[in-house]
Amino acid sequence: DQQVKQNSPSLSVQEGRISILNCDYTNSMFDYFLWYKKYPAEGPTFLISISSIKDKNEDGRFTVFLNKSAKHLSLHIVPSQPGDSAVYFCAASASGTYKYIFGTGTRLKVLA
Amino acid sequence: SQTIHQWPATLVQPVGSPLSLECTVEGTSNPNLYWYRQAAGRGLQLLFYSVGIGQISSEVPQNLSASRPQDRQFILSSKKLLLSDSGFYLCAWSRGGGLLEQFFGPGTRLTVL
């Protein structure tokens, strides 16, 4: 049972435009969410997080939106740059569990 | 600052051979430690996590095991590798005590032939 889903395996965006990566979850106990960026043969790099008490968190070009009623979060990258080309994972956790459940990832390609 | 080390970076092992992957964290104390596997074209699967020395929680039944002999050391082992154990193994840590970001090591590429 996949509790965290990233339904788009890949996404192509023109440089300078907005990239929107989506993530859905099924467990209503999840209350902390993270986004990671991963290059091939490297460990994931933490990008941004959001707690369920918020609906938005910004850090530079990266913004994460959380819609608790829809059990949906999204990562917006504006403007997109070729260096953003990577696989992006969302992850979710519930208080007290110490575990993070990852989605299957979305491969973003930013075209120059 | 904190750093996380994993070794070896790549490993090719025959079926039936043992495995030992090591992970160490520097610059923090009492971290939560995690082992993940990423199979080809798939997401990150949590294998084990530990909130303290000697405390191991297993997420997926399999022929792998984990140990935490010291506060900042996490070891992934197998007595006999299977072909299906091939993948990219990642160690991660987070600060103990709550929901906080995880930080990943560089990973080990394991190929079982």
Side-chain angles (χ1 to χ4, degrees), chain A residues 15 37 39 61-62 80-86 88 108 110-111:
Chain A
E15 182 180 5
K37 173 181 178 179
Y39 294 117
R61 295 187 297 116
F62 302 94
S80 301
Q81 300 172 354
D84 295 329
S85 297
Y88 288 79
L108 172 66
V110 179
L111 307 169

Side-chain angles (χ1 to χ4, degrees), chain B residues 26-92:
Chain B
E26 295 177 357
T28 189
S29 59
N30 196 30
N32 296 333
L33 296 172
Y34 305 82
W35 278 111
Y36 290 87
R37 177 172 59 204
Q38 183 183 20
R42 304 184 71 176
L44 299 174
Q45 181 186 37
L46 178 63
L47 302 175
F48 301 94
Y49 68 96
S50 171
V51 299
I53 295 174
Q55 300 178 58
I56 308 294
S57 296
S58 174
E59 289 298 300
V60 182
Q62 57 209 324
N63 70 321
L64 298 172
S65 62
S67 62
R68 184 170 177 173
Q70 299 181 45
D71 181 44
R72 290 169 289 174
Q73 184 185 30
F74 206 23
I75 297 172
L76 183 68
S77 304
S78 174
K79 291 182 180 177
K80 285 186 177 182
L81 283 168
L82 306 172
L83 286 174
S84 58
D85 291 324
S86 293
F88 192 55
Y89 287 82
L90 289 155
C91 181

Side-chain angles (χ1 to χ4, degrees), chain A residues 32 36 46 93 98 100, chain B residues 34 38 59 99-102:
Chain A
Y32 195 67
Y36 285 85
F46 169 74
S93 186
Y98 303 104
Y100 299 77
Chain B
Y34 305 82
Q38 183 183 20
E59 289 298 300
L99 292 173
L100 293 166
E101 296 80 16
Q102 278 189 323

Side-chain angles (χ1 to χ4, degrees), chain A:
Chain A
D1 176 32
Q2 190 71 25
Q3 296 186 66
V4 179
K5 300 178 184 179
Q6 293 177 258
N7 292 318
S8 298
S10 63
L11 175 69
S12 290
V13 171
Q14 207 66 34
E15 182 180 5
R17 301 289 186 103
I18 183 171
S19 295
I20 300 176
L21 298 111
N22 294 304
C23 180
D24 296 292
Y25 61 97
T26 57
N27 189 341
S28 58
M29 299 301 292
F30 288 150
D31 53 7
Y32 195 67
F33 305 89
L34 307 97
W35 282 95
Y36 285 85
K37 173 181 178 179
K38 185 182 182 300
Y39 294 117
E42 294 183 10
T45 302
F46 169 74
L47 280 176
I48 193 167
S49 62
I50 189 166
S51 147
S52 61
I53 62 174
K54 292 186 172 183
D55 54 18
K56 177 182 174 181
N57 190 24
E58 273 183 275
D59 185 0
R61 295 187 297 116
F62 302 94
T63 303
V64 56
F65 295 92
L66 175 63
N67 182 334
K68 290 184 290 293
S69 60
K71 294 191 180 68
H72 176 84
L73 65 155
S74 60
L75 175 68
H76 293 210
I77 307 173
V78 183
S80 301
Q81 300 172 354
D84 295 329
S85 297
V87 177
Y88 288 79
F89 291 97
C90 65
S93 186
S95 297
T97 64
Y98 303 104
K99 297 190 301 184
Y100 299 77
I101 308 300
F102 280 76
T104 51
T106 296
R107 182 176 302 280
L108 172 66
K109 188 170 184 180
V110 179
L111 307 169

